Amino acid sequence: MDQFLQHLLNAVMLGGTYALLGIGLTLIFGIMRVVNFAHGELYAFGAYTVYLVAAALGLNFFLGLVVAVIAGALLGALIEVVLLRPMRGADIDTVMLMMIGAWIVMQNTELLVWGGVAKAIVTPFPDAPLVIGPVSISWLRVFVLAVALLLIVASYVLIHRTRLGKAMRATFQDVDTAALMGVNIKGIFTATFAIGSALAAAAGALLGPVFFSSPPPWATSLRSRRSRSSSSAVSAISPARPSADSYSPSSRRSVPATSPRDTVTPWAS
């Protein structure tokens, strides 16, 4: 029973951040009719932005969260203006191919910039967990759940209680009628994609400190495979050179296979 409660608490924490991803993806597809294949890379972009601000630059961790959300919104607006706006009259298959290309470009750019090694983000929260009866949860996970719930409530208020949200719901119901009523369809599409991208970046920024930030395993395996193939090609082209030890008389002497210095004991001080 204790393990069930512990797993349930962890599932609620993960579900809050995944709900942010789902809300952003639903907004983009419901209003713009765009299948955003690059949504996962916007999630990773938020995690790497927090690492850049908090770990690489040494600035405040909470400032990194704010910067990640703003940067995600700006990147989403840029994607909509540069890629999606010229393709507005195209069929859904063409737009899907466009977003798949954006996904591949963003994924390989992250791999090129950050490498294939996982990044750890240090937070100001204490290591001692919060113990509630038979279950325990870290203070970082409590913060992640609280911020995720706050962003979910803020998204609901934005959609149902603001003028922008009313225009977004009108565009969702009928684009042509909303345009006749004076709604700026271009601005609504840009704002929708920016908000969805900001929510995805917020989810990545929140889960980045909980887990390690790293590119997908297939991307790193492809890169290592390419590096191995290139190194083998260079070694095949370059002629083999005999080492200097092969001409040394001392190299003919027998050397024991192992020596006390070669033996590695991990637990030895």
Side-chain angles (χ1 to χ4, degrees):
M1 187 62 182
D2 296 346
Q3 292 183 358
F4 172 75
L5 292 176
Q6 185 67 54
H7 289 307
L8 180 63
L9 188 61
N10 295 333
V12 170
M13 189 276 301
L14 285 175
T17 53
Y18 290 160
L20 295 177
L21 282 171
I23 292 172
L25 197 61
T26 304
L27 277 177
I28 294 173
F29 180 75
I31 297 177
M32 303 179 61
R33 299 296 189 270
V34 172
V35 182
N36 187 14
F37 283 95
H39 206 67
E41 297 310 315
L42 293 167
Y43 168 87
F45 176 77
Y48 280 120
T49 303
V50 173
Y51 171 78
L52 173 64
V53 175
L57 299 180
L59 300 178
N60 188 271
F61 168 73
F62 302 103
L63 177 63
L65 295 177
V66 177
V67 172
V69 175
I70 296 175
L74 293 177
L75 180 59
L78 180 64
I79 291 175
E80 198 281 329
V81 172
V82 175
L83 298 180
L84 294 178
R85 184 172 295 183
M87 307 294 296
R88 185 158 299 163
D91 57 309
I92 189 172
D93 295 335
T94 305
V95 178
M96 287 174 61
L97 290 176
M98 177 70 70
M99 296 312 298
I100 291 175
W103 162 41
I104 295 174
V105 170
M106 292 177 63
Q107 184 181 94
N108 285 274
T109 302
E110 291 169 355
L111 183 62
L112 179 65
V113 173
W114 301 109
V117 181
K119 311 294 183 183
I121 302 173
V122 180
T123 64
F125 297 99
D127 296 331
L130 174 64
V131 180
I132 306 174
V135 298
S136 62
I137 184 171
S138 64
W139 287 101
L140 174 61
R141 289 175 180 258
V142 173
F143 172 77
V144 168
L145 179 60
V147 175
L149 293 177
L150 180 63
L151 290 176
I152 291 173
V153 173
S155 301
Y156 177 84
V157 173
L158 174 66
I159 295 172
H160 293 277
R161 295 291 187 269
T162 62
R163 189 174 180 179
L164 175 62
K166 185 182 293 186
M168 292 169 65
R169 286 184 284 119
T171 306
F172 166 74
Q173 292 177 1
D174 194 331
V175 177
D176 297 331
T177 305
L180 291 175
M181 298 301 294
V183 176
N184 185 4
I185 302 300
K186 293 182 179 180
I188 292 300
F189 282 173
T190 304
T192 300
F193 206 92
I195 293 172
S197 302
L199 291 176
L206 291 174
L207 279 185
V210 177
F211 306 104
F212 289 103
S213 301
S214 62
W218 59 83
T220 56
S221 63
L222 285 176
R223 186 176 184 180
S224 60
R225 192 177 303 172
R226 290 172 184 172
S227 62
R228 286 197 301 267
S229 61
S230 61
S231 61
S232 61
V234 171
S235 61
I237 294 174
S238 59
R241 297 181 180 179
S243 61
D245 294 337
S246 60
Y247 299 101
S248 173
S250 60
S251 62
R252 300 178 182 178
R253 292 178 294 181
S254 61
V255 180
T258 59
S259 61
R261 185 172 296 181
D262 297 331
T263 305
V264 179
T265 306
W267 57 83
S269 57

